[in-house]
Amino acid sequence: MIVDLVKLEGLNNRFEFSISADGLDFETENVRLKSDIAVSCEIIRNIPKTDVTGTISVAAEIDCTRCLIPIEQLIAFSFEATYVPSEELLREGEAELDTADLDVDVLDGNELDMREVVREQILLNLPDQIFCDDECKGLCQKCGANLNLIDCSCEETEIDPRWAALKKLT
Ligand SMILES: [Zn+2]
Ligand SMILES: [Zn+2]
């Protein structure tokens, strides 16, 4: 979905739409989107800037950070993004660029590709870590077994010296 910003000038514009998650690349194998992405947003032209605020929600499957088991998770968040045309950044010069706030994205031309906006926002809002359970034991460092499911005997055969010291205390 491409929004022609010239047509928006001077207006406040609300958009409600959903886009397919097919083909959106999140640069990680650990996240899979399971539904269309629902977007509600407002695009406001404050020339030269364009402000986009809204909410995004999508059903996803994310692998547990420790044991890699897939966890169903609703990714839902609100966002704010600001776009500035690349010509504008050049004109403002390097002094401005140094202080440019990091939330500003560069826009080429007068078209805002909402798929790219949404992809970027989801990427920014993915959890850094997610656990199937607070007590998730993760995978055995030696044999790769899921320690929530089976008790491999690697630990018994080779106890980390630091743990051995702790054991003596108890
Ligand atoms: Zn886990
Ligand atoms: Zn093991």
Side-chain angles (χ1 to χ4, degrees):
M1 180 185 164
I2 306 283
V3 175
D4 183 344
L5 296 174
V6 174
K7 292 188 183 144
L8 288 180
E9 244 151 72
L11 299 168
N12 290 357
N13 284 272
R14 292 208 63 87
F15 294 85
E16 307 267 346
F17 58 97
S18 73
I19 57 177
S20 159
D22 290 346
L24 281 193
D25 181 11
F26 291 102
E27 298 152 18
T28 165
E29 302 274 298
N30 302 333
V31 177
R32 293 162 300 276
L33 300 187
K34 292 294 185 184
S35 69
D36 284 349
I37 305 161
V39 184
S40 165
C41 71
E42 190 168 19
I43 302 175
I44 302 173
R45 284 281 266 170
N46 289 316
I47 294 170
K49 291 196 238 164
T50 299
D51 293 320
V52 185
T53 59
T55 58
I56 291 174
S57 69
V58 59
E61 197 176 74
I62 306 177
D63 296 339
C64 171
T65 307
R66 288 196 195 121
C67 73
L68 307 181
I69 273 197
I71 304 162
E72 288 190 13
Q73 178 88 1
L74 180 70
I75 299 176
F77 58 89
S78 54
F79 69 95
E80 281 181 40
T82 297
Y83 294 85
V84 177
S86 49
E87 316 89 73
E88 199 61 37
L89 280 180
L90 288 174
R91 202 179 312 153
E92 287 183 13
E94 307 221 338
E96 286 286 333
L97 274 181
D98 284 344
T99 56
D101 93 62
L102 292 170
D103 292 335
V104 172
D105 281 296
V106 178
L107 191 67
D108 281 318
N110 280 308
E111 290 181 336
L112 195 56
D113 180 349
M114 290 310 294
R115 261 180 91 75
E116 185 51 29
V117 173
V118 166
R119 189 192 74 87
E120 197 174 272
Q121 291 302 325
I122 292 176
L123 202 56
L124 287 171
N125 284 277
L126 287 175
D128 289 335
Q129 294 191 313
I130 187 166
F131 302 112
C132 58
D133 187 292
D134 287 344
E135 307 278 290
C136 173
K137 296 183 187 129
L139 302 177
C140 171
Q141 303 277 345
K142 286 205 87 167
C143 72
N146 183 337
L147 299 175
N148 300 310
L149 303 177
I150 52 166
D151 203 1
C152 67
S153 45
C154 299
E155 208 183 338
E156 285 159 33
T157 51
E158 199 179 316
I159 293 174
D160 184 315
R162 287 167 297 176
W163 292 118
L166 271 178
K167 275 197 174 155
K168 265 182 217 154
L169 294 174
T170 53

